[in-house]
Amino acid sequence: MNIELLTNTQVQSIDGDPGHFKAKVRQLPRYVDISKCTSCGDCEKVCPVDLKSEYDEGLATRKAIGRKYTQAIPGTYNIQKSDPAPCLLACPAGLNVQGYVQMVKMGKYQRALEIIMEDLPLPGVLGRVCPHGCEDACRRCSVDEPVAIRDLKRLAADMYDPRDIVIECLPQREETVAIVGSGPAGLSAAFFLAKKGIKSTIYEALPQAGGMLRVGIPDHRLPPEILDKEIQVVTNLGVEIKTNTPLGADLSIDDLMKDYKSVFLAIGAHKGIDMGIPGEKVNGVVQGVKFLKEVNLTGKTKVGKKVAIVGGGNVAIDVSRAAIRMGADEVTIVYRRTIKEMPAFEEEIKAAQDEGIKIRFLAAPQEVIAEDGKVVGLRCIAMEMGEADSSGRRSPIPVPGSEFEIEIDQLIPAIGQRPDLSSLENITGLEISRWSTVETNDISFATDVEGIFAGGDLQTGPWTVIGAVAQGKEVAESIERFFDGTDMVVGRDPIRYDDPQYRPVESDEPLMAREAMPELPIEQRQGSFKEVELGYNEESGKKEASRCLNCSFCCECGECVTACLAGAIDHDEVVQEKEIEIGAVILTTGTDVFEPDKLDEFYLYNQSPNVLTSLEFERILSATGPTEGHLTRPGDDKEPEKIAWLQCVGSRDTNNCNNGYCSSVCCMYAIKEAVISKEHAPAGLDCAIFNMDIRTFGKDYEKYYERSKEQGVRYVRSRVHTITEIPETGNLLLKYVTDTGEIVEEEFDMVVLSVGMEASKSAIEMAKGLEIELNDYNFVKTDEIAPVATSRPGIYVAGVMQGPKDIPYAIMEASAAACSAGKDLVEVRGTLVKEKVFPTEMDVTGEEPRVGVFVCNCGINIGGIADVPAITEYAKSLPNVVYSEENLFSCSQDTQEKIAETIKKEKLNRVVVAACSPLTHEPLFQETMKNAGLNPFLFDMANIRNQCTWVHSGEKDKATEKSKDLVRMSVARASLLEQLKYLSVGVSNPVLVVGGGVAGMTAALNLADQGFPTTLIEKSDELGGSARQIKKTWKGEDVQSFVGDLIAKVKKHDQLEVLTNSEVVDAHGFIGNFETTVKVADEDRVIEHGAVVVATGGQATDTEEYLYGKNPRVTRWHDLEANLEKYPDANSVVFIQCVGSRDDNRPYCSKICCTASIQQALEIKEKNPEANVFILHRDIRTFGDRESIYQEAREKGVLFIRYEKDKKPVVTETKDGLEVSIFDPILQREVVIEADLLNLATAIESCDNKSVSSAYKLPVNAENFIMEAHAKLRPVDCVTDGVFICGMAHYPKPIGESVAQAQAAVSRATTVLTKQTVEVEPIVSEVNTDLCIGCGLCEATCCFSAINLKPVEGQGYKAETTSALCKGCGACSVACPQQAINMKHFKHEQIIAAIRAGIAAS
Amino acid sequence: MASNEVIGSVMVVGGGIAGMQSSLDLANSGYYVYLVEESSAIGGVMAQLDKTFPTNDCTM
């Protein structure tokens, strides 16, 4: 409760100084209310949007609503959204295209129409005639072709009658509106006005409603019954349409303004534009719009035999296709540009040509040729496209002398229309533009005359239907504001998206052809106005819809809102900007994983499905992954027989990717993946790891490596030079050269790329914004001796953001950073933390059990399968049950309050919740118990979801019966549950640090600085430990001045007592309360303390190998420095690595020797560039950015020769010095090196820790390093609570890691020392001394020394539990032959009661 | 608030394994913690791993 989790949040800035920073953060909405969401998952089931799961590295899909992973914290669902999709932005009416396309994909046509009709009352009409600008904007264009959005809209309207969609309208207002014109603008305005509760009447000049939709578009494109149906959508809302009622002599605008409060003029643009050529008034010339109007209204008109049409727009095409249908023999369209410039829809042009219509491109009419006042021909001139003008558009220009004539008997110009303003002439104040359109405000569409609005083609000039619909909607909004007297413009500026962010289009997005639209066969079109486009069927509609890329992630279809019974979803949540005040900052943003796309040519990562990254492979191995842990390859689901791992992909590579560092973890994870793969797969799976060096330098890693070889993992020391895919099998052919120079070709089923870590772009950006220095590889720069401090005081760093490292070390750093941050703020510790207060607990001991049972429906998770009312009723019949009820969600916040109330009202003293897993939900209900004044241990859970309705979802009755059984068992156990109290033990806050090296001193200082009285004991007579022998860190920092400084600080600190020549002799007690006997000089002294930090250190071993101790030229470690002075003319220096490490005796890597030897080699080279320096090694393990000095050494001529464990170098003495002979695996022969000096990197071993480990009962591993509580997650905690470990006592490590681990140990100790008391878990063992026979089996069984035999006067020995040490595992209870030991809360009688109830018939 | 007043809370940026550990240590030793995470849930990359070396323990 003292951690406030801000998810979906980014840090914008941090200002201020250590102790008082102000951070600005930006939290994106989750769109799901954390307090209401119960994680039931019902929303996820209905979400139509499939996205690649990042958690599964793209190998599986997820929904737009969901959790990152099943166990995610918080468990609240989250909706992923981005900017509005391009289709929506391209649509003048702003239709939620993605939403309805997804609904069509799901076959939910009603919902699709509901979404469409939010913005458009005419779905079937626009589904046919819309110019679909959305499709031009569709991002699928970059993959193949756009989604057929218009056709999908039509399918929705074909499959469900739009008239059956319920349109919510507000209660009707008094004010009314007159609309002049029943075209799309007028109908749309009427529709949206009706929704706002404003009644309107439409006045239509023509005998039928629909405007241009009715008279401008022929029936083969828009069947009249579709239009009729959708006009009814509008009239069904109470809109009246008065046809044959034009504005004019009988109806003036003043008449309308008398009867209505507002008038909307939407009379369209119905007047054809003349061509302006001689002869165009003769007989046989008719305007295209007029021609179409006649055809559409009457079904007949005069049609010539040879018809020419002038124009290139949709009207021209409509006219031509109508003319053919009306019986014309020959129809020619004359267009002055080329097909590329033709404004008509591409599919319409094609259909016209299919129907036999000729198009004369690049031709312009010059004169109508008439005979007897009747058209007989058209003189044209050929055109050519001229140069582009300043706007980039090319204009056609006539080709002189190219005149030609075509013989025709009818000419139909269709070059454009404009509004017919004759009916508006009398309106005073109405401003008209030079294009004969009415001028209005751009946003409100209000004219200069109050109360009069204008829209549609009348306002814009000829434009699209959807544009007119959009304006109708806007006008409705303006009219409402006009009625309300509010500003008509404010807040309505369109939102601009200059750089909209979308779901990225994957480079490997599979191609899917656009579904073809079925059409009426051409032979059936002649003489018929039957619709040509027949519409998709359901199957092709779903297929087409599935091509949508879901650019916005969530499609806002609203299905989740309907599905969420808890009402948790809120699509209107907005971004929150917050400012928080803090005293310190810790950065732990992690890294990215190297993306092998960059090296695709070589690794074929994008080309072959069977080349995976290691993280993808990790998901394949995982039980929660895409294959549920079944090892198959993604290409064909085949079980692989051979897998290759390629190491160092994106690491140790400055040629291809500039990542010169070692990623430190890849060797180990590759080995792990190989080992686990072999466990998952049938016997015989071949796992080969191709590597340059195997770097298993961490604690117990080398043993893991060796064991993997026994398990059959193959190691190939080679860099693969070519990978090719074998097309027939999908297998991969690897070519490589072995150590011996042999060229090998080997085939594998799968290749795993061991990808390294890379600084993440967002982290780099953030660090730069916060003015934090980065290193050459863009990781946060730190000093070796201050490993978690960034360049900005008060801001700390931990984990891989600082550089690649494994999990234990990241955790150590995390604790170290916590220590550093905490130390800065020590004076205000405890000032901002809160503690929860509960009501006083009622004592129910001795009362008859009164059990209340709460049965959860878990939305439909339980209730949808099992008969919850029956289970609830059944519970009432069980013994001791006095109350039962069902809940929609037992875990929701309001139910918690209800349960607490019920407990009080019904005087319940036991509670059973039949729901889900106690692992996730028991703590919540126990808190509710506490809030109701009941002891939390009087609670039990029956998991009827996971164990009944999930696993028996197909057998509803059985699921119900089993649920009853579980409830019965739970009630039986609950009736016997007892109150338990947390045992509270006082904490004493002095602290003991054992060991006075760098780790011990660092720990002691950090503790003392925080005000904890600290005793530092050191067995030798001086502080400093093994660091005293080191001159410099590998980064070059002066170690001696650092150690000297530490010693000085330690010695003068007033909270710190240093005891040299001292040793721990014995210790008693437990966390918070230790009593340690320390032998100081020859006296015993008892120290009381709350915690202890063990830092007993490590040291370099001696050796008898390689003439050490027999020849003065052979040295080890830093002895070399003295020797160099002794032999100033040494020209050949040899280092031998792994002397005593990585062998049978010490099967571990000493971690620091490779770096140390290279560091010394470089120094020798610096002093004497001519010197020959050789490093004889088994693997070079310069992990992290230490790799850079390895590279430097090679560049400077240090020679590295590898040897195998069973082919060690041999050193012999010669007259002038030494001779080292070694088998060189590259040369494949023995080489002999003459050496002046030989330096041995001998193993690092643990210092004597026997007294400490036995005093505090600390287990050590086989190599005598003290074991941590958990190798991965608790790297500084010891098995004994209250004891912490750091430095080389834990494992060999460089100074920086010792410092970090010491700080980490302090942080962990602080969590104990800052408490007044520690609470001991009450579920511990309890001995019935009457039954105990003192056999001691329990004592022998207990791993925690928590149960011991104690002499009891007159009764021999009796077992006794030390509750503070007991972990409640129950092993002693099982071991006891007398059944004298019971586990509290899991007593024999409680468990037996449950079992008895379970096997009793219900 | 006076500008030099020391504040007893810490912001941890990043909810992976390191961020979680820092937060827990600080909250358990008397400091209020704001744990800022860019994604919708904490856990980081470790939550994606199957088992961990060298113990082959399950990550969850």
Side-chain angles (χ1 to χ4, degrees):
Chain A
M1 76 182 283
N2 285 309
I3 301 177
E4 189 175 324
L5 185 54
L6 301 170
T7 51
N8 292 342
T9 303
Q10 278 185 323
V11 176
Q12 307 289 98
S13 66
I14 301 175
D15 295 318
D17 303 303
H20 40 266
F21 289 105
K22 268 187 192 164
K24 285 204 179 94
V25 298
R26 184 164 189 270
Q27 184 166 32
L28 299 178
R30 201 176 186 92
Y31 304 106
V32 182
D33 187 337
I34 289 199
S35 69
K36 289 184 186 159
C37 175
T38 62
S39 312
C40 71
D42 288 345
C43 52
E44 204 172 359
K45 289 177 201 144
V46 297
C47 179
V49 177
D50 288 308
L51 301 167
K52 276 193 174 177
S53 159
E54 295 82 0
Y55 180 67
D56 279 325
E57 290 292 309
L59 297 172
T61 58
R62 64 168 172 96
K63 299 294 187 180
I65 189 165
R67 290 176 292 182
K68 241 169 113 181
Y69 51 100
T70 320
Q71 306 92 329
I73 293 174
T76 310
Y77 278 60
N78 179 76
I79 300 178
Q80 187 178 16
K81 294 194 191 192
S82 63
D83 287 323
C87 43
L88 183 154
L89 294 180
C91 178
L95 257 69
N96 175 9
V97 174
Q98 194 192 331
Y100 71 76
V101 167
Q102 292 306 307
M103 286 299 96
V104 172
K105 182 179 89 182
M106 306 305 284
K108 295 182 176 178
Y109 305 107
Q110 181 185 352
R111 182 71 199 123
L113 280 186
E114 284 167 0
I115 294 170
I116 294 167
M117 289 168 75
E118 290 272 309
D119 303 294
L120 166 68
L122 312 167
V125 172
L126 275 293
R128 288 169 170 82
V129 305
C130 190
H132 53 68
C134 48
E135 294 183 22
D136 300 332
C138 179
R139 286 165 78 238
R140 180 108 212 160
C141 292
S142 70
V143 181
D144 36 41
E145 296 166 279
V147 174
I149 296 170
R150 185 185 68 187
D151 301 334
L152 292 172
K153 179 159 49 227
R154 170 180 167 173
L155 177 62
D158 284 351
M159 297 301 297
Y160 194 89
D161 192 329
R163 291 171 296 188
D164 292 338
I165 297 293
V166 179
I167 308 293
E168 302 280 348
C169 293
L170 292 176
Q172 197 167 316
R173 303 172 61 138
E174 262 179 41
E175 307 94 323
T176 53
V177 178
I179 296 171
V180 186
S182 65
L187 290 170
S188 164
F191 177 80
F192 289 105
L193 283 167
K195 286 180 69 168
K196 292 172 186 292
I198 299 170
K199 190 173 171 347
S200 62
T201 306
I202 300 179
Y203 292 86
E204 170 56 53
L206 295 173
Q208 288 181 54
M212 268 297 184
L213 295 173
R214 175 75 63 189
V215 300
I217 302 172
D219 296 354
H220 69 265
R221 235 167 28 98
L222 176 59
E225 55 278 13
I226 299 291
L227 181 58
D228 290 339
K229 196 157 88 174
E230 298 193 350
I231 290 174
Q232 276 177 36
V233 169
V234 180
T235 53
N236 285 350
L237 303 181
V239 175
E240 192 189 343
I241 303 180
K242 298 190 178 190
T243 49
N244 291 319
T245 317
L247 268 190
D250 299 335
L251 181 70
S252 76
I253 201 89
D254 292 338
D255 297 338
L256 290 176
M257 285 304 279
K258 257 181 247 155
D259 296 338
Y260 301 94
K261 193 166 177 192
S262 175
V263 173
F264 174 40
L265 300 174
I267 59 171
H270 288 248
K271 196 170 162 187
I273 294 175
D274 292 339
M275 295 180 292
I277 56 170
E280 72 176 301
K281 297 294 173 199
V282 300
N283 229 337
V285 180
V286 58
Q287 271 291 340
V289 274
K290 189 161 172 264
F291 177 86
L292 286 175
K293 190 187 280 180
E294 270 179 31
V295 172
N296 278 317
L297 283 177
T298 64
K300 51 190 184 227
T301 186
K302 261 196 206 151
V303 180
K305 289 290 160 202
K306 291 184 170 181
V307 183
I309 296 148
V310 180
N314 279 321
V315 175
I317 301 284
D318 282 343
V319 170
S320 70
R321 295 181 71 188
I324 281 277
R325 282 167 172 74
M326 299 293 289
D329 290 339
E330 206 175 281
V331 178
T332 308
I333 295 176
V334 177
Y335 179 54
R336 56 194 190 126
R337 292 187 168 88
T338 72
I339 194 164
K340 267 201 317 219
E341 288 83 21
M342 211 166 178
F345 300 164
E346 210 180 303
E347 61 268 28
E348 286 292 309
I349 300 170
K350 192 181 168 293
Q353 288 173 322
D354 288 349
E355 289 167 11
I357 291 150
K358 293 196 194 94
I359 308 179
R360 284 295 302 246
F361 293 106
L362 292 169
Q366 281 193 316
E367 187 185 353
V368 180
I369 305 165
E371 268 173 30
D372 307 330
K374 201 174 169 307
V375 59
V376 292
L378 182 67
R379 177 171 303 124
C380 301
I381 185 164
M383 310 290 277
E384 60 184 5
M385 296 306 286
E387 293 299 310
D389 64 11
S390 58
S391 69
R393 211 186 135 159
R394 294 169 68 192
S395 288
I397 41 176
V399 180
S402 67
E403 291 82 355
F404 63 93
E405 281 177 20
I406 47 177
E407 192 186 321
I408 54 171
D409 57 6
Q410 189 175 35
L411 175 66
I412 310 179
I415 60 165
Q417 312 79 269
R418 62 179 183 201
D420 181 352
L421 296 173
S422 54
S423 62
L424 306 180
E425 276 161 4
N426 299 328
I427 307 174
T428 41
L430 205 62
E431 208 181 314
I432 308 295
S433 76
R434 49 187 276 234
W435 296 283
S436 299
T437 57
V438 174
E439 297 274 15
T440 67
N441 178 289
D442 286 347
I443 287 172
S444 68
F445 300 99
T447 66
D448 290 346
V449 186
E450 190 180 278
I452 299 184
F453 298 80
D457 285 356
L458 173 63
Q459 192 265 351
T460 54
W463 195 34
T464 58
V465 181
I466 192 71
V469 168
Q471 286 192 353
K473 186 180 181 188
E474 293 305 318
V475 166
E477 167 72 19
S478 301
I479 291 175
E480 185 188 39
R481 290 183 183 215
F482 173 62
F483 288 177
D484 291 343
T486 54
D487 193 295
M488 287 195 281
V489 173
V490 76
R492 293 175 70 184
D493 278 326
I495 305 166
R496 287 177 58 91
Y497 294 90
D498 291 333
D499 179 24
Q501 299 297 308
Y502 295 128
R503 189 195 143 210
V505 179
E506 304 284 341
S507 53
D508 57 348
E509 184 70 44
L511 300 183
M512 265 175 93
R514 183 172 157 129
E515 286 292 298
M517 170 57 71
E519 289 183 350
L520 192 71
I522 293 188
E523 57 277 14
Q524 291 180 30
R525 297 185 196 173
Q526 194 94 36
S528 156
F529 276 94
K530 266 202 227 155
E531 189 171 19
V532 172
E533 294 194 344
L534 302 175
Y536 285 142
N537 62 21
E538 276 199 83
E539 193 194 342
S540 47
K542 284 178 185 175
K543 224 162 132 193
E544 180 58 27
S546 70
R547 297 176 65 240
C548 172
L549 296 172
N550 284 310
C551 296
S552 292
F553 300 98
C554 168
C555 69
E556 298 195 335
C557 64
E559 287 289 278
C560 52
V561 179
T562 318
C564 181
L565 299 178
I569 292 162
D570 177 4
H571 280 278
D572 297 327
E573 277 183 12
V574 292
V575 172
Q576 307 261 338
E577 311 266 356
K578 291 181 189 168
E579 191 173 84
I580 51 182
E581 290 183 323
I582 57 251
V585 178
I586 297 175
L587 304 177
T588 61
T589 61
T591 61
D592 284 346
V593 170
F594 178 78
E595 287 171 17
D597 311 49
K598 298 172 199 164
L599 308 177
D600 197 43
E601 258 173 58
F602 178 70
Y603 289 117
L604 310 185
Y605 173 67
N606 282 339
Q607 297 162 47
S608 165
N610 299 324
V611 178
L612 297 174
T613 69
S614 44
L615 203 50
E616 287 168 346
F617 191 74
E618 200 76 39
R619 294 312 303 148
I620 289 186
L621 289 180
S622 172
T624 61
T627 58
E628 293 176 339
H630 188 67
L631 179 50
T632 53
R633 56 183 207 174
D636 49 12
D637 298 331
K638 192 187 128 189
E639 286 180 0
E641 286 161 25
K642 283 183 78 165
I643 308 178
W645 277 260
L646 308 190
Q647 297 306 103
C648 300
V649 177
S651 305
R652 300 180 66 186
D653 185 350
T654 46
N655 294 330
N656 300 311
C657 63
N658 211 26
N659 292 349
Y661 51 86
C662 158
S663 288
S664 301
V665 297
C666 324
C667 285
M668 273 306 282
Y669 75 56
I671 300 172
K672 176 203 73 181
E673 288 180 352
V675 167
I676 305 283
S677 296
K678 286 179 85 70
E679 279 175 16
H680 281 224
L685 174 71
D686 179 29
C687 295
I689 299 181
F690 290 81
N691 65 85
M692 300 197 281
D693 297 276
I694 288 292
R695 294 186 165 173
T696 46
F697 50 79
K699 190 173 185 178
D700 287 337
Y701 293 0
E702 182 74 12
K703 283 188 266 187
Y704 194 84
Y705 169 38
E706 289 299 326
R707 208 161 51 237
S708 74
K709 291 186 200 164
E710 288 161 23
Q711 289 160 325
V713 177
R714 217 154 41 96
Y715 292 86
V716 185
R717 200 176 303 273
S718 176
R719 224 170 168 154
V720 171
H721 62 74
T722 319
I723 305 172
T724 38
E725 192 183 24
I726 301 167
E728 300 78 45
T729 56
N731 287 356
L732 297 140
L733 188 68
L734 270 52
K735 285 187 198 163
Y736 59 94
V737 183
T738 64
D739 256 1
T740 56
E742 192 191 343
I743 298 168
V744 181
E745 282 192 6
E746 200 179 344
E747 201 176 315
F748 288 89
D749 298 303
M750 262 173 121
V751 168
V752 180
L753 307 177
S754 294
V755 286
M757 300 185 200
E758 201 166 55
S760 83
K761 279 182 205 82
S762 60
I764 296 170
E765 232 163 75
M766 183 177 72
K768 283 185 179 157
L770 303 181
E771 292 173 351
I772 284 169
E773 260 184 76
L774 301 175
N775 69 14
D776 294 345
Y777 298 119
N778 283 326
F779 296 108
V780 174
K781 191 174 174 185
T782 58
D783 287 341
E784 186 73 357
I785 48 179
V788 294
T790 69
S791 59
R792 190 165 162 194
I795 300 186
Y796 302 93
V797 64
V800 289
M801 191 188 188
Q802 186 270 349
K805 55 180 65 75
D806 56 18
I807 292 170
Y809 189 37
I811 291 178
M812 271 182 219
E813 281 187 346
S815 284
C819 164
S820 300
K823 212 174 89 175
D824 288 352
L825 313 177
V826 70
E827 59 190 280
V828 290
R829 188 197 297 281
T831 53
L832 292 179
V833 288
K834 296 168 237 170
E835 211 169 308
K836 181 124 207 236
V837 185
F838 294 100
T840 324
E841 207 171 281
M842 290 179 288
D843 184 5
V844 300
T845 324
E847 285 180 12
E848 281 294 306
R850 291 177 60 82
V851 183
V853 180
F854 297 85
V855 186
C856 182
N857 277 285
C858 195
I860 52 171
N861 266 290
I862 297 173
I865 309 283
D867 185 349
V868 170
I871 300 166
T872 312
E873 210 41 48
Y874 172 73
K876 287 202 174 93
S877 70
L878 295 169
N880 299 324
V881 173
V882 295
Y883 180 84
S884 79
E885 67 167 44
E886 61 175 296
N887 313 119
L888 182 57
F889 293 106
S890 295
C891 60
S892 69
Q893 200 43 49
D894 53 329
T895 312
Q896 297 320 295
E897 283 154 29
K898 213 166 123 208
I899 293 176
E901 261 169 49
T902 311
I903 290 173
K904 287 180 205 155
K905 202 169 121 212
E906 301 290 333
K907 298 193 170 51
L908 303 180
N909 56 22
R910 305 286 190 285
V911 173
V912 167
V913 171
C916 53
S917 165
L919 194 68
T920 53
H921 281 72
E922 192 173 53
L924 172 78
F925 294 116
Q926 287 191 319
E927 189 163 308
T928 301
M929 297 284 284
K930 280 155 88 177
N931 281 330
L934 275 185
N935 183 283
F937 292 94
L938 299 171
F939 172 81
D940 198 46
M941 266 184 105
N943 188 349
I944 62 169
R945 186 185 69 181
N946 304 26
Q947 296 173 4
C948 301
T949 56
W950 275 1
V951 286
H952 307 297
S953 57
E955 299 170 294
K956 296 187 172 191
D957 291 345
K958 285 186 180 169
T960 304
E961 285 317 303
K962 188 172 168 190
S963 300
K964 287 181 184 173
D965 292 346
L966 293 192
V967 170
R968 188 171 67 245
M969 291 172 75
S970 189
V971 166
R973 174 166 183 263
S975 302
L976 296 176
L977 289 175
E978 293 169 358
Q979 297 174 170
L980 297 180
K981 285 258 172 287
Y982 280 92
L983 213 67
S984 193
V985 191
V987 169
S988 82
N989 80 0
V991 58
L992 186 70
V993 178
V994 186
V998 164
M1001 287 192 291
T1002 304
L1005 264 181
N1006 276 286
L1007 286 161
D1009 280 349
Q1010 297 187 59
F1012 304 112
T1014 306
T1015 308
L1016 174 64
I1017 59 174
E1018 163 59 39
K1019 68 179 175 199
S1020 75
D1021 55 1
E1022 59 178 331
L1023 296 172
S1026 52
R1028 279 196 313 253
Q1029 288 136 34
I1030 304 171
K1031 273 165 78 182
K1032 284 189 205 161
T1033 68
W1034 76 271
K1035 285 184 185 169
E1037 294 130 325
D1038 181 346
V1039 174
Q1040 285 321 299
S1041 90
F1042 167 67
V1043 173
D1045 199 36
L1046 264 184
I1047 294 173
K1049 279 187 194 155
V1050 164
K1051 282 186 174 162
K1052 71 169 191 223
H1053 205 293
D1054 58 357
Q1055 288 286 331
L1056 214 168
E1057 186 184 12
V1058 180
L1059 304 175
T1060 45
N1061 295 315
S1062 313
E1063 218 175 331
V1064 170
V1065 181
D1066 195 14
H1068 297 283
F1070 44 83
I1071 181 170
N1073 295 272
F1074 289 104
E1075 252 185 39
T1076 299
T1077 309
V1078 177
K1079 198 167 137 203
V1080 188
D1082 281 324
E1083 265 174 59
D1084 279 358
R1085 199 171 129 180
V1086 175
I1087 298 172
E1088 288 184 3
H1089 55 104
V1092 54
V1093 175
V1094 175
T1096 47
Q1099 63 202 9
T1101 51
D1102 261 339
T1103 181
E1104 292 183 352
E1105 288 185 279
Y1106 307 120
L1107 304 180
Y1108 181 71
K1110 295 176 189 119
N1111 184 308
R1113 291 175 184 268
V1114 183
T1115 54
R1116 46 167 209 150
W1117 288 93
H1118 298 275
D1119 302 342
L1120 174 67
E1121 283 145 17
N1123 241 21
L1124 274 173
E1125 284 160 26
K1126 234 164 53 185
Y1127 300 94
D1129 51 354
N1131 266 321
S1132 174
V1133 184
V1134 174
F1135 291 81
I1136 300 180
Q1137 301 301 107
C1138 293
V1139 180
S1141 299
R1142 299 180 62 192
D1143 61 11
D1144 298 341
N1145 196 24
R1146 289 191 202 86
Y1148 62 89
C1149 165
S1150 293
K1151 193 169 183 176
I1152 54 180
C1153 338
C1154 284
T1155 308
S1157 293
I1158 291 174
Q1159 201 184 331
Q1160 289 193 324
L1162 278 171
E1163 270 183 44
I1164 293 168
K1165 275 283 188 189
E1166 193 155 305
K1167 282 185 196 138
N1168 178 12
E1170 300 308 310
N1172 292 321
V1173 183
F1174 300 86
I1175 296 183
L1176 315 185
H1177 66 97
R1178 288 174 52 198
D1179 290 280
I1180 288 294
R1181 293 185 167 175
T1182 42
F1183 54 95
D1185 45 6
R1186 287 164 177 81
E1187 181 72 11
S1188 60
I1189 66 166
Y1190 178 29
Q1191 195 179 348
E1192 189 188 339
R1194 278 176 299 168
E1195 282 162 8
K1196 291 195 171 153
V1198 176
L1199 293 169
F1200 291 83
I1201 304 174
R1202 189 191 303 277
Y1203 72 89
E1204 295 296 326
K1205 193 169 77 175
D1206 49 5
K1207 273 192 192 162
K1208 285 185 179 179
V1210 177
V1211 181
T1212 44
E1213 232 167 11
T1214 61
K1215 199 163 56 114
D1216 306 321
L1218 299 162
E1219 244 178 37
V1220 182
S1221 78
I1222 180 169
F1223 180 80
D1224 186 321
I1226 310 280
L1227 302 176
Q1228 281 291 301
R1229 66 181 183 84
E1230 205 74 20
V1231 292
V1232 177
I1233 306 164
E1234 284 181 12
D1236 300 321
L1237 288 172
L1238 173 64
N1239 197 39
L1240 307 177
T1242 58
I1244 306 294
E1245 63 180 4
S1246 166
C1247 292
D1248 179 18
N1249 57 26
K1250 203 170 271 167
S1251 61
V1252 176
S1253 56
S1254 74
Y1256 299 109
K1257 302 183 181 68
L1258 310 178
V1260 294
N1261 73 1
E1263 295 79 42
N1264 209 36
F1265 293 105
I1266 293 173
M1267 275 168 70
E1268 56 281 71
H1270 188 281
K1272 207 83 190 173
L1273 298 175
R1274 295 176 67 195
V1276 298
D1277 295 29
C1278 287
V1279 176
T1280 307
D1281 287 344
V1283 184
F1284 306 94
I1285 185 165
C1286 57
M1288 300 218 282
H1290 164 261
Y1291 191 68
K1293 52 176 65 77
I1295 284 186
E1297 282 183 35
S1298 281
V1299 171
Q1301 202 181 9
Q1303 290 174 331
V1306 170
S1307 178
R1308 302 294 305 139
T1310 311
T1311 64
V1312 178
L1313 300 170
T1314 51
K1315 302 245 165 25
Q1316 301 292 318
T1317 56
V1318 283
E1319 284 202 330
V1320 179
E1321 272 285 329
I1323 302 177
V1324 294
S1325 63
E1326 184 180 44
V1327 182
N1328 180 341
T1329 45
D1330 291 344
L1331 294 176
C1332 176
I1333 53 170
C1335 68
L1337 277 173
C1338 52
E1339 186 177 329
T1341 308
C1342 182
C1343 306
F1344 309 102
S1345 308
I1347 191 161
N1348 303 94
L1349 291 185
K1350 296 270 161 70
V1352 176
E1353 184 123 6
Q1355 299 177 39
Y1357 284 89
K1358 297 282 180 189
E1360 191 183 290
T1361 302
T1362 309
S1363 300
L1365 294 176
C1366 178
K1367 306 277 183 198
C1369 69
C1372 56
S1373 177
V1374 176
C1376 179
Q1378 289 294 100
Q1379 292 195 8
I1381 305 174
N1382 245 323
M1383 300 310 298
K1384 287 182 181 172
H1385 202 57
F1386 293 94
K1387 289 185 158 186
H1388 298 314
E1389 57 266 35
Q1390 293 162 347
I1391 294 171
I1392 289 166
I1395 295 171
R1396 284 224 169 96
I1399 53 181
S1402 55
Chain B
M1 187 193 71
S3 66
N4 57 355
E5 196 180 308
V6 179
I7 302 159
S9 63
V10 179
M11 176 169 76
V12 177
V13 188
I17 184 69
M20 293 192 285
Q21 183 68 47
S22 291
S23 301
L24 284 170
D25 275 11
L26 285 163
N28 284 326
S29 54
Y31 300 105
Y32 192 79
V33 177
Y34 298 94
L35 175 54
V36 175
E37 163 61 35
E38 201 175 1
S39 78
S40 65
I42 54 175
V45 176
M46 188 175 172
Q48 283 180 276
L49 307 181
D50 172 37
K51 305 226 164 69
T52 60
F53 58 78
T55 50
N56 289 358
D57 279 350
C58 166
T59 317
M60 288 293 162

